[in-house]
Structures are given as structure tokens and as C-alpha cells.
Amino acid sequence: MIQYWQENSTRMINLTIQHAQMVLTSLLIALVIATILIAIFLRKKNWLNLLIYIFSLLYSVPSYAFFALLIPVTGLGETSAIIVLAFYSEYVLLRTFITGIRNINTNYLEVAKGVGMTNTQVFTRVQLPLALPAIFSGLQVALASTMAIATIASTISAGGLGDLLFEGLQTGRVVPILWGTILTVALTLICIIILKLLENIMISDWWEVEKTGR
Amino acid sequence: MTNEIIKFNHVKKNFGKNEVIPDITFSINQGEFVTVLGSSGSGKTTTLKMINGLEQPTTGEIVVNGKDLKNTNLVDLRRHIGYVVQSIGLFPHMTIAQNIAITPKLLGWKQEKISSRVGELLEMVGLHNADFAKRYPAQLSGGQQQRVGVARALATNPPIMLFDEPFSALDAITRQKLQVEVKKLHQQLKEKTFFFVTHDINEALYLGDRVMVMNRGKIEQFASAQEVVNHPASEYVKNLIDTVRTNQKLWEGLK
């Protein structure tokens, strides 16, 4: 194990960084798209439900097939991988966002209108901040699952930690597989911790107060 | 002629096939304290929400502050009408100061003007202690939250204040204290019109210059408290007043 690390450390670090870039970029894209979609369709309930339905179907497409299908369109490499990963996160994010927004007590929305907010202001100043806890838990789920799915991106030569896994598979060695797994899990953990820190900063004190009641 | 600030002219409101308000007509003068008394489903809250455009009438005409609501920008209208609601009214993700500052911010006031106004309002509602401003609503008692609700509604110094059963979730002692304060506030702030919806008959009779008794979407009586008590206009009003008398008997018996 250690010998393998000594021989390949630079490459492994590069692969980890590549992996992280792929996952975080796709997550960011998915986050932006989810916010825009919800902002547009929030007041059209049936459209939103249809949207979730479509994304849930996409989610059930095997990731391997999805990667393969995109090759003729966007070619081999990172771009295809990021698109696929973004699609997978999209479903998780949409689902949790919408649940978060729908769970907000409707009294708040009426009061928001009552004190003179426009529909857009109700969305940005009340619905979005109140849904933040749900949004963050959605991000965490999406993060963990895309981290794992991203290893398959190696098959369309997008790089990432999947390279180590497939190297192990092809050469029949366990060590690279173990390293690939450990690094994926470690990277996921680090990202989740960063996400938690971000959550603490953004939600500030009110969520804490709300949970403890004092 | 006195200045009519709120006017309903043959207003009818349906929710789907459900006729909530068949036909009401009334007017309120500037500076009046009007209480609306009715049980749940009487249409009192719907009536209140039609004043600030949260509900729109199916037919009929509503004039608020000289403007026909049909041709008025409702968002702008609401920024100039105070709105106090039952318990869940303050936004949990904003501090007390931020809650009070919402409408001034929407109107684009300068930061210093907002801060000084927030301080002034907290003082007015008896929460001048400096650290209240930075707390979150969940850290306040129910009574304190309602005080903040009143302060927020007063923020832009609106000519009309709407109260939708603001004290119904409070304990009896806090409620009475706040009733006294709201009445005092109305006397202090001359020329402000208060429209106060409640199902508590004592609250309605105590606070209102005039009391509007509603039942099943109709106005049973709209007169001074004295008039309502001494000359009930309908069977329903009479029964309502009788409940108080029955309670009084209970009190006498217990003494």
C-alpha cells in the first residue's frame, strides 16, 4: 500500500483534485439550475410535479449508459461527465428544495405579501432563506452520491479517482482499488465538512434558535 | 362630510362555489377604531384581507384611502397599510430589528433612518431594552412577539392598521395588557384608522369605537358598543350579548 503511494503520490493527488473539480462543478451547475427552475415554476404546481417526474426518470437511467449516450454529443472527457453528474444531482436537489419550500407555513407567505413584498421578494427574502436547511441537506445527499457516481466517469476518460479503481480491475491488483476507495471516501468527508461549515455561516443563528427554542 | 377612508360597496366574495360573503356595504371614517366580531367562518378575516388586497372581491367596489382597489397597485397599497396577524407573523430567520425594518427597506429608506425608526418603535411598544433588537422571534414570549408585530405594522407610519385576531393565542393577562396598550396607542396616534378582527366579545366591545358584528358573511349590526349592548339589531347579536350576561351570572354565583 505505502509503496504504491510513494510511487504514485503525485498522480493520485492530481486524480483527487480532478475528481473534486468534476463533482463540485456539476453540483454547482445543478444548484443554479434547480434554483432557476424553482423560481420560474414555483407558482405552477403541475409543471413542477412534471419536472420532478422527468428528472426522476432520468435518475433511474443507469449512469454507465448515460455516459455512453452522451459521447456522440459532447465527446469523451470531462464535459460529458459533468453533464451527467449534474443531471443526477438535479433530481435530488429539486426534490429536497421543493419539499423544503412547500413545508414553509403558508402564514409566512401571506404575511410577506401583507407587508408589501412582490412575488419575487417573497421568494428571495422568505421562501429561499427558510428553505436553506432543506437545501443544505439536499446538497449533502447529492454530494455523496455524485462522488460515487463520478468514479464511473473514468470509463469515458474523464479521469478522477475512478482511474485507480479501473487500473486495479484491469491489472487484478487490490491496492489501487483500495486507494481509490479510501480517497473517494476521504474526499467526500472533507467536502461534507466544508458544506457543514458553509451551512453554519449562511444559516447563522436563527436555525439554532429555532431548533432549541431558545 | 367626514373623511371615509375605507368603503365597501355591495362587495361579494366567493371561494370557488362557496359564497363566503353574499353582499356587504359599509364605510369607516378616518381615525375610527372599528372592531369586527364574529365566529370562525363569519367572513371577518376575508373582509379584512380584502382591505389590503390579499383577497379580491368577486364583485363589488372597495375604496381604500380614496383609491378604487381595482385600479391600484396592491403591492404599493400594502406597504402603506399596517398588518398585524395571529401568532405566526414574525419571520423566524430575521432578527426583531430586521422584522420591523422589512417594509421601510422595501420602500428604500436610508439605513440611518431605518435604525432610528426601529429604536423609536421598540420604545413605543415597550421593548426599548437595546438587546431585543438583535434577538430572534423564537427567543421572545408570545406577548413580546405580538408587540413586535404591532411595531412592524407601524413602521412606515401607515394611515390604516389591520389587526387579524392578534391576541387570540395569548394568555388572559397578557392579552388584557396588550388591549389596554393598543387602545392607548390608537388615542396617541391621532387620525390613524384601526380595523381589528376578533372573536372575543369583550375585546370587541372594549376596543371599538364602533363594533361590526358579522355572521355568515353578513353584517348583523354596525354600531357603538353601547348601542350593540342596549339595542341588539338581530336575534344573533342578542344571543351573543346574552352569553356575556350568562357568564356574569356564573361570576355572581361564585362570589
Side-chain angles (χ1 to χ4, degrees):
Chain A
M1 280 281 301
I2 301 194
Q3 195 196 349
Y4 185 85
W5 169 259
Q6 280 162 348
E7 282 165 10
N8 298 285
S9 62
T10 334
R11 179 168 158 252
M12 281 158 76
I13 289 169
N14 283 339
L15 288 177
T16 312
I17 292 170
Q18 203 176 19
H19 198 90
Q21 268 172 355
M22 225 163 21
V23 170
L24 296 181
T25 314
S26 68
L27 210 57
L28 197 69
I29 293 170
L31 178 66
V32 172
I33 293 177
T35 314
I36 294 171
L37 283 178
I38 289 174
I40 296 173
F41 294 116
L42 190 60
R43 261 154 267 280
K44 301 184 176 90
K45 208 174 166 192
N46 293 334
W47 288 51
L48 256 196
N49 289 339
L50 182 72
L51 216 62
I52 294 180
Y53 185 67
I54 292 170
F55 275 104
S56 78
L57 284 181
L58 282 174
Y59 193 70
S60 66
V61 175
S63 48
Y64 199 69
F66 212 152
F67 281 119
L69 285 172
L70 264 185
I71 293 173
V73 189
T74 45
L76 290 168
E78 226 170 322
T79 319
S80 302
I82 287 173
I83 293 173
V84 173
L85 294 178
F87 264 110
Y88 281 108
S89 319
E90 199 60 58
Y91 171 66
V92 177
L93 291 185
L94 267 184
R95 243 276 109 94
T96 45
F97 279 29
I98 290 168
T99 315
I101 283 179
R102 284 189 181 155
N103 278 347
I104 296 171
N105 193 316
T106 48
N107 282 346
Y108 290 130
L109 308 184
E110 189 153 80
V111 173
K113 276 179 84 179
V115 298
M117 290 191 196
T118 61
N119 283 341
T120 317
Q121 284 163 339
V122 174
F123 180 67
T124 55
R125 296 184 193 205
V126 178
Q127 288 177 296
L128 219 45
L130 284 180
L132 268 186
I135 290 174
F136 270 102
S137 69
L139 274 174
Q140 195 177 325
V141 175
L143 180 75
S145 68
T146 24
M147 278 287 180
I149 297 172
T151 54
I152 297 170
S154 162
T155 56
I156 55 163
S157 51
L161 290 166
D163 279 8
L164 291 177
L165 301 180
F166 285 100
E167 179 193 321
L169 272 176
Q170 276 154 10
T171 56
R173 284 195 299 165
V174 182
V175 175
I177 298 183
L178 273 178
W179 270 118
T181 312
I182 291 168
L183 286 175
T184 310
V185 172
L187 185 63
T188 309
L189 275 179
I190 291 168
C191 287
I192 284 177
I193 289 167
I194 293 173
L195 198 66
K196 278 273 164 214
L197 286 176
L198 207 65
E199 181 180 357
N200 281 343
I201 296 166
M202 281 185 70
I203 303 186
S204 62
D205 333 326
W206 76 268
W207 185 239
E208 208 49 46
V209 169
E210 197 72 5
K211 274 191 297 192
T212 55
R214 210 102 291 246
Chain B
M1 197 182 102
T2 40
N3 190 1
E4 288 178 339
I5 194 156
I6 299 170
K7 223 168 102 182
F8 275 49
N9 200 0
H10 293 290
V11 169
K12 170 190 166 116
K13 175 69 183 171
N14 295 349
F15 285 117
K17 282 183 183 165
N18 218 346
E19 192 174 62
V20 182
I21 293 171
D23 178 11
I24 56 171
T25 299
F26 65 86
S27 67
I28 293 170
N29 298 325
Q30 190 182 353
E32 265 193 302
F33 197 141
V34 170
T35 49
V36 185
L37 177 62
S39 50
S40 56
S42 62
K44 58 188 193 305
T45 295
T46 307
T47 306
L48 178 138
K49 285 180 182 166
M50 284 196 285
I51 296 175
N52 68 356
L54 285 176
E55 299 287 355
Q56 266 117 47
T58 310
T59 59
E61 176 197 46
I62 300 174
V63 180
V64 175
N65 216 357
K67 287 176 210 141
D68 186 339
L69 291 199
K70 258 185 225 118
N71 331 306
T72 306
N73 177 351
L74 292 178
V75 169
D76 197 54
L77 174 89
R78 291 184 199 121
R79 290 178 184 176
H80 295 98
I81 294 181
Y83 184 41
V84 189
V85 293
Q86 217 183 331
S87 50
I88 313 178
L90 303 178
F91 297 112
H93 61 296
M94 299 181 188
T95 62
I96 299 309
Q98 287 167 339
N99 263 289
I100 296 175
I102 292 173
T103 316
K105 250 191 200 148
L106 293 173
L107 288 171
W109 288 17
K110 288 219 177 65
Q111 193 51 50
E112 309 110 69
K113 193 180 168 195
I114 293 178
S115 318
S116 78
R117 181 68 180 153
V118 168
E120 192 180 303
L121 287 162
L122 282 175
E123 181 133 9
M124 198 187 282
V125 296
L127 297 173
H128 34 75
N129 196 336
D131 67 313
F132 270 113
K134 289 190 199 112
R135 288 197 216 169
Y136 287 93
Q139 294 168 306
L140 269 58
S141 72
Q144 289 167 338
Q145 288 184 20
Q146 282 320 84
R147 285 163 196 264
V148 176
V150 173
R152 179 175 67 186
L154 283 167
T156 58
N157 202 20
I160 301 170
M161 291 278 284
L162 305 178
F163 296 82
D164 190 1
E165 302 201 40
F167 306 146
S168 59
L170 302 177
D171 65 272
I173 296 172
T174 314
R175 192 189 317 164
Q176 192 162 49
K177 219 167 135 192
L178 282 174
Q179 285 167 359
V180 173
E181 285 180 33
V182 162
K183 189 157 180 149
K184 232 198 266 163
L185 202 63
H186 179 254
Q187 284 156 357
Q188 264 171 36
L189 307 163
K190 294 183 181 77
E191 299 303 291
K192 265 199 210 315
T193 311
F194 280 31
F195 190 87
F196 193 110
V197 163
T198 177
H199 62 256
D200 179 338
I201 181 164
N202 292 313
E203 189 168 79
L205 294 175
Y206 169 70
L207 288 176
D209 297 332
R210 280 199 294 163
V211 181
M212 183 188 292
V213 185
M214 286 189 78
N215 180 37
R216 297 184 184 177
K218 289 193 192 82
I219 297 174
E220 299 274 343
Q221 189 166 11
F222 188 20
S224 69
Q226 220 169 10
E227 182 76 13
V228 170
V229 172
N230 294 318
H231 307 283
S234 71
E235 196 63 24
Y236 178 81
V237 182
K238 195 170 166 297
N239 288 341
L240 210 60
I241 300 297
D242 283 345
T243 60
V244 181
R245 298 235 160 85
T246 317
N247 279 336
Q248 263 167 0
K249 267 186 214 140
L250 170 76
W251 283 104
E252 292 304 319
L254 287 173
K255 267 181 190 162

